[in-house]
Amino acid sequence: MLASISTRFLLIALLMLPITLVAAKDTASENEAPLRIAVASNFAPTLKQLLARYNPNQKHFLSPILIAASSGTLFLQIEHGATFDVFLSADSERPQLLSTSGLAMSGSLQTYAFGQLALWSAKGNIDSDLLVALSNNKQRLAIANPRIAPYGKAAKQVLESLQRWDDYKGRLIQGINIGQTFQQTRSQAVNLGIVSNSQLVLNNFKGVLIPSYLHQPIKQQLVILKHSKQIAQAERFVTLLMSKQAQQFITESGYASSNEINTNE
């Protein structure tokens, strides 16, 4: 009887062994490589701070690698096979294109932040009334390129809404993205600029906040890329990013809240 029980125990143990090994291998492979997150330049500093606060000691996933560049550059790299796991764009157009083309995981498209604009001068002393500040300025104005940068497109809409586009279009200095526009204004190469409010918050500067109803929402969306081999980690990252506490942190970092956008819409 004892021999029979031992034999059966051994058989059961042998049958379970391959399953255990496979599971252990899957877990190991999941943890071997950190996430590679392609992130729009404007959001990279906020994301870095957020991860340091809410993912200490790699609580949810391994320390990810952030690859920051303009959304257009990252989009082209993804189309040409770059091995990113998650793409955080500064707009909604490119993530939606990746979803449509099948390069993004179905159902992973989400809005993680709403960009916010501010009028700012590194010299200070601009009127707190947006329209008055724009009317008083007779010099050049820095904005991101409206044709390729989401923040530039919104800046143009602001000037059009305030009927100041015709006044400024001959003396605009256009950056290739909102990061360059901020640097142009910060270096005082241009006296006045329409920049990202998050850049001001990050650097403890204060400008004139531009109401969101003056432009279409700067909807920053993300997708998990279909070729990712770190899907579980990517999903944990997105869950963290969309959590109430992370969204509160993003708003405090100079982005508009979804409630404000919905109210204005």
Side-chain angles (χ1 to χ4, degrees):
M1 176 65 73
L2 288 175
S4 176
I5 292 175
S6 298
T7 301
R8 279 192 294 169
F9 179 80
L10 179 61
L11 285 172
I12 291 171
L14 287 172
L15 286 171
M16 291 182 65
L17 184 58
I19 296 174
T20 304
L21 288 175
V22 169
K25 184 178 180 181
D26 282 349
T27 303
S29 63
E30 172 66 24
N31 292 330
E32 279 175 357
L35 281 179
R36 289 172 54 82
I37 301 175
V39 55
S41 298
N42 79 293
F43 192 70
T46 301
L47 180 59
K48 189 175 180 180
Q49 291 182 350
L50 189 150
L51 290 172
R53 176 176 294 196
Y54 297 115
N55 191 41
N57 304 318
Q58 305 173 11
K59 181 179 178 182
H60 301 283
F61 36 80
L62 296 180
S63 295
I65 299 171
L66 305 186
I67 303 95
S70 71
S71 299
T73 299
L74 295 170
F75 175 77
L76 289 175
Q77 290 177 349
I78 292 167
E79 280 196 316
H80 287 83
T83 56
F84 305 139
D85 298 299
V86 186
F87 175 40
L88 274 64
S89 183
D91 65 0
S92 58
E93 180 182 353
R94 293 178 178 88
Q96 289 176 10
L97 283 172
L98 293 176
S99 294
T100 303
S101 64
L103 291 175
M105 276 187 59
S106 176
S108 67
L109 180 68
Q110 296 199 61
T111 302
Y112 66 91
F114 287 98
Q116 201 165 29
L117 293 170
L119 185 69
W120 179 63
S121 171
K123 297 179 180 176
N125 300 324
I126 61 173
D127 198 288
S128 59
D129 185 296
L130 177 64
L131 190 56
V132 172
L134 286 170
S135 299
N136 288 342
N137 179 53
K138 303 303 178 186
Q139 302 180 40
R140 296 176 299 175
L141 176 70
I143 67 171
N145 189 325
R147 291 185 294 105
I148 57 175
Y151 282 80
K153 180 180 177 181
K156 180 182 178 182
Q157 291 169 351
V158 170
L159 294 173
E160 290 175 335
S161 296
L162 296 173
Q163 299 183 340
R164 286 292 178 274
W165 176 250
D166 289 338
D167 295 340
Y168 273 106
K169 64 182 180 182
R171 48 191 174 107
L172 290 175
I173 302 298
Q174 298 182 13
I176 57 174
N177 55 44
I178 196 66
Q180 188 179 70
T181 299
F182 177 65
Q183 292 303 328
Q184 290 168 333
T185 312
R186 186 176 190 175
S187 68
Q188 300 187 18
V190 186
N191 181 56
L192 197 64
I194 296 180
V195 302
S196 164
N197 185 53
S198 62
Q199 293 167 322
L200 301 185
V201 173
L202 180 69
N203 292 281
N204 293 318
F205 296 144
K206 190 171 182 179
V208 180
L209 195 61
I210 297 177
S212 299
Y213 62 78
L214 291 176
H215 58 84
Q216 293 178 355
I218 307 172
K219 189 182 292 186
Q220 301 197 195
Q221 293 195 317
L222 68 84
V223 286
I224 297 175
L225 298 171
K226 203 169 186 177
H227 62 226
S228 171
K229 298 185 185 306
Q230 309 289 336
I231 295 296
Q233 281 203 69
E235 290 176 339
R236 288 198 294 274
F237 164 73
V238 173
T239 297
L240 172 64
L241 189 63
M242 300 306 297
S243 68
K244 185 177 180 180
Q245 59 183 3
Q247 287 295 303
Q248 179 65 29
F249 179 80
I250 291 170
T251 301
E252 292 171 355
S253 300
Y255 291 85
S257 71
S258 57
N259 289 336
E260 180 183 356
I261 297 297
N262 292 332
T263 300
N264 291 332
E265 286 181 330

